[in-house]
Amino acid sequence: MIAQLSQGCADDLDAVMRVMTSAFPDRYGEAWTRSQCAGILPMAGVKLVLAEDGEANVVGFSLYRTIVDDAELLLLAVEPNSRGKGIGRQLLSNFIADAKSSGATRVHLEVRDGNPAIQVYETAGFEQANRRRNYYRGRDGAAFDALTFVLTTQD
């Protein structure tokens, strides 16, 4: 499935939060709050990209920022019923391409250790650069490591 990608804005936060709630289980503590998303959207270099299915339903999104020559993927989520169709890869490829066209020479992201998305990031050429012990906290207090991945975009 090829999703239709479009630029999102604060008016799209209901759809973003619906996808985020379905994509990030509470037990890991990865999801952002609505106020966190709303607070970062107006900042310089921040972009929200929506992935819509053929019926104009938002099924995924990416949120990232590019500052000078550095781009960071803050969030990428695809609702569970739409996974395995290449939407996450499409959003990731869009992020990398936009980072390059914006002059970024390095892109990075952070992900919970054990998250199946790691395979997608590694396939795209990202390499693990760091580990933050006990970074994520689930609702039950369980702690999970965060892994930092980096991709150098210089040719």
Side-chain angles (χ1 to χ4, degrees), residues 47 64 66-71 96-105:
K47 290 187 181 177
Y64 56 91
T66 304
I67 300 171
V68 189
D69 62 350
D70 188 76
I96 294 167
D98 189 53
K100 286 181 180 181
S101 70
S102 297
T105 56

Side-chain angles (χ1 to χ4, degrees), residues 66-110:
T66 304
I67 300 171
V68 189
D69 62 350
D70 188 76
E72 179 181 12
L73 180 63
L74 302 167
L75 289 167
L76 191 151
V78 176
E79 65 179 19
N81 291 340
S82 297
R83 291 181 183 160
K85 300 176 182 178
I87 297 169
R89 283 183 172 84
Q90 189 178 353
L91 286 163
L92 183 62
S93 293
N94 178 78
F95 160 63
I96 294 167
D98 189 53
K100 286 181 180 181
S101 70
S102 297
T105 56
R106 178 179 172 270
V107 296
H108 58 100
L109 59 90
E110 196 165 76

Side-chain angles (χ1 to χ4, degrees), residues 1-2 12 24 63 69 73 77 80 82 85 129 132 147 152:
M1 168 189 201
I2 302 270
D12 299 305
F24 294 115
L63 179 68
D69 62 350
L73 180 63
S82 297
K85 300 176 182 178
R132 293 183 182 185
L147 305 178
T152 303

Side-chain angles (χ1 to χ4, degrees), residues 12-31:
D12 299 305
L13 283 179
D14 286 343
V16 166
M17 294 311 297
R18 182 186 51 74
V19 172
M20 183 138 31
T21 300
S22 70
F24 294 115
D26 284 343
R27 68 180 183 192
Y28 298 120
E30 300 163 297

